[in-house]
Amino acid sequence: MRMVDIIAKKRDGKELTAEEIQFFIQGYTNGDIPDYQASALAMAIFFQDMNGRERADLTMAMVHSGETIDLSAIDGIKVDKHSTGGVGDTTTLVLAPLVAALDIPVAKMSGRGLGHTGGTIDKLEAIEGFHVEISKEEFVKLVNEHKIAVIGQSGNLTPADKKLYALRDVTGTVNSIPLIASSIMSKKIAAGSDAIVLDVKTGAGAFMKTVEEAKELAQAMVSIGNSVGRKTMAVISDMSQPLGYAIGNALEVREAIDTLQGKGPADLEELCLALGSQMVYLAGKATSLEEAEEKLREVMRSGKALDKFKEFIRNQGGNEQVVDRPELLPQAAYQIEVPADQDGVVAAITADEIGTAAMKLGAGRATKESDIDLAVGLMLNKKIGDTVRKGESLVTIHANREEVDEVIRMIREHIQIADHAVAPQLVYDVVTG
Ligand code: URA
Ligand code: CA
């Protein structure tokens, strides 16, 4: 087999065999196939697309390019959730205890990563004492006994994807449905869960700018999952503005605590219930999404979800008192209001730019080496569709330095006030496969 023939075949719009796809992925991972040939193939796929079978084969070839996680020692159906990435997305912190409260195993492997705020692990580490440096054995034991644990990512998962994603980034081939779908699904499948729930974001703060594109990506991922034996569902949700009010690590822990008690922001609660329902349904704990949602609401009402969060914190060395006394979380030294400069209705809160403003305060990492400040971030006081009077605060900045002029400028620039505006829909669609 020769790589040049595979490139030419895809260039001409023909279907690649499983063997050809495997030859490419194996050869590229071990360095036999050079970047220039891999980028030519990525560009051919970009223009010619792949059918469902090719997408599934590409996904599984990437899964088998490295280690995979075996969660078979954990009882029950393990359901994982993945978000395509948003700003102030507090859903994981809410969903993990919420779903575990229904005796569904939540075996979460998470990273720190780059971005506007930290990853799930950074957020949890805002809780004094909480740590994720536990052994694989301890992790399995915790999930079997308590239905919930989080461990730091380890192991060399999907090296083919790491290499190919970096190459796509510099060759104009990121924005391709078959390549994005196989990239995301390969990582989720290698991480070992039995079923997968996807939160595909759309809007200014997302990869997929339109609902149609987001739906196409969701459908592509759902069919890959289902065709390789992992039941998969998706929610298409809005990311034109940040989710909830909090953007920042400790601030989001606090928001998660409120949401677990049914006192959180309406949009965050709605999305957690939509995603959570799919998780409960796929775990076999309800026979319809409606029944699943009712069960989730019940554990919020009864306090079971909040108790599960305490149990989870305690098990991993954290101070569970933060749940009843969130003021024990790290607090920033300064709280600075950003007042509206006119009367009107909030018409836009551009998610990615507001996220970048939070990162500039130190809430997230710009590079792998950056330090993160768990206390800082932004609290939105208004969301799209809210009326506002001149002088009223749009955002409260939580900072550990006095000088935040640049952050204020960014916020002012990216929050628009108009005569009228309506709140965007939050959940646009669900894809159940
Ligand atoms: N996120 C991924 O993990 N892969 C892509 O290709 C795009 C977004
Ligand atoms: Ca939030």
Side-chain angles (χ1 to χ4, degrees):
M1 220 178 275
R2 295 192 317 158
M3 185 61 188
V4 60
D5 300 325
I6 296 172
I7 296 168
K9 195 174 174 188
K10 184 44 77 183
R11 178 202 63 202
D12 296 340
K14 301 204 177 83
E15 183 179 338
L16 301 180
T17 66
E19 292 70 32
E20 287 164 335
I21 290 169
Q22 228 162 54
F23 174 85
F24 159 58
I25 290 298
Q26 265 172 20
Y28 187 51
T29 309
N30 67 26
D32 291 344
I33 292 169
D35 280 350
Y36 52 83
Q37 286 189 310
S39 56
L41 182 61
M43 190 58 87
I45 293 170
F46 181 95
F47 282 114
Q48 297 290 3
D49 207 345
M50 283 181 135
N51 66 23
R53 191 213 34 87
E54 290 174 295
R55 293 173 182 190
D57 285 339
L58 177 59
T59 304
M60 292 315 287
M62 293 203 286
V63 168
H64 294 125
S65 70
E67 290 171 43
T68 57
I69 311 271
D70 179 6
L71 296 178
S72 59
I74 295 169
D75 313 323
I77 300 173
K78 280 77 69 184
V79 189
D80 201 2
K81 186 223 61 159
H82 175 79
S83 155
T84 60
V87 178
D89 189 346
T90 317
T91 53
T92 301
L93 289 181
V94 178
L95 281 169
L98 186 60
V99 169
L102 288 170
D103 282 334
I104 295 165
V106 175
K108 194 86 200 150
M109 212 155 292
S110 215
R112 293 174 200 279
L114 306 177
H116 302 120
T117 62
T120 298
I121 289 184
D122 296 299
K123 291 176 190 175
L124 287 166
E125 283 177 351
I127 300 166
E128 185 201 348
F130 192 100
H131 64 94
V132 296
E133 291 80 19
I134 56 177
S135 69
K136 180 82 196 297
E137 293 67 37
E138 175 76 2
F139 176 66
V140 168
K141 187 164 172 274
L142 283 175
V143 182
N144 278 334
E145 286 174 10
H146 301 274
K147 300 298 167 194
I148 183 168
V150 173
I151 188 172
Q153 211 133 43
S154 66
N156 183 23
L157 303 192
T158 59
D161 173 65
K162 283 195 191 81
K163 218 173 155 182
L164 192 56
Y165 195 9
L167 182 76
R168 287 165 53 215
D169 203 27
V170 293
T171 56
T173 50
V174 167
N175 224 331
S176 151
I177 298 273
L179 294 176
I180 299 173
S182 57
S183 166
I184 293 174
M185 290 304 287
S186 68
K187 285 178 278 222
K188 288 329 265 183
I189 291 165
S193 58
D194 304 307
I196 300 161
V197 170
L198 301 160
D199 180 12
V200 181
K201 307 283 197 186
T202 180
F207 244 105
M208 298 285 128
K209 302 295 175 199
T210 69
V211 176
E212 288 65 39
E213 285 174 310
K215 219 161 142 175
E216 200 187 335
L217 177 62
Q219 269 154 356
M221 294 193 287
V222 167
S223 52
I224 288 172
N226 288 326
S227 72
V228 304
R230 311 285 175 115
K231 279 187 252 164
T232 305
M233 288 187 177
V235 170
I236 318 288
S237 74
D238 181 66
M239 197 28 87
S240 58
Q241 63 179 335
L243 188 63
Y245 297 112
I247 308 159
N249 300 283
L251 296 171
E252 289 186 42
V253 172
R254 195 169 186 149
E255 184 166 75
I257 292 167
D258 289 342
T259 307
L260 284 166
Q261 303 174 81
K263 297 189 300 195
D267 60 345
L268 179 60
E269 176 179 304
E270 182 185 346
L271 184 57
C272 288
L273 289 170
L275 293 165
S277 301
Q278 294 191 342
M279 294 172 80
V280 172
Y281 176 81
L282 289 178
K285 297 277 184 179
T287 54
S288 69
L289 292 174
E290 293 71 26
E291 185 194 347
E293 182 172 330
E294 193 35 55
K295 289 190 166 181
L296 292 170
R297 286 188 188 279
E298 180 50 34
V299 290
M300 280 164 94
R301 267 195 298 268
S302 68
K304 250 183 114 173
L306 202 65
D307 287 344
K308 186 55 79 173
F309 194 39
K310 286 185 189 167
E311 184 181 337
F312 169 46
I313 293 170
R314 183 165 68 234
N315 288 340
Q316 300 205 213
N319 179 5
E320 67 183 272
Q321 285 186 56
V322 299
V323 172
D324 297 314
R325 295 175 54 207
E327 67 276 11
L328 293 174
L329 288 162
Q331 311 244 17
Y334 303 97
Q335 297 194 7
I336 301 150
E337 307 298 337
V338 183
D341 52 13
Q342 64 181 96
D343 289 353
V345 179
V346 175
I349 308 178
T350 314
D352 45 357
E353 308 289 349
I354 296 297
T356 304
M359 192 173 76
K360 288 213 184 291
L361 288 169
R365 293 182 186 85
T367 71
K368 267 200 310 234
E369 288 71 35
S370 326
D371 279 331
I372 196 163
D373 185 338
L374 296 170
V376 305
L378 303 174
M379 284 299 294
L380 304 181
N381 298 315
K382 299 284 174 184
K383 300 272 294 198
I384 297 177
D386 288 349
T387 55
V388 61
R389 298 213 143 274
K390 184 176 174 178
E392 226 185 324
S393 176
L394 295 169
V395 173
T396 306
I397 299 172
H398 292 246
N400 271 329
R401 57 169 195 262
E402 233 170 329
E403 198 283 303
V404 289
D405 291 352
E406 190 193 359
V407 173
I408 291 176
R409 197 166 52 244
M410 288 178 79
I411 292 169
R412 285 204 181 286
E413 192 178 336
H414 296 288
I415 297 187
Q416 281 163 31
I417 298 172
D419 290 340
H420 43 246
V422 286
Q425 198 174 330
L426 179 74
V427 172
Y428 289 105
D429 212 341
V430 293
V431 179
T432 54

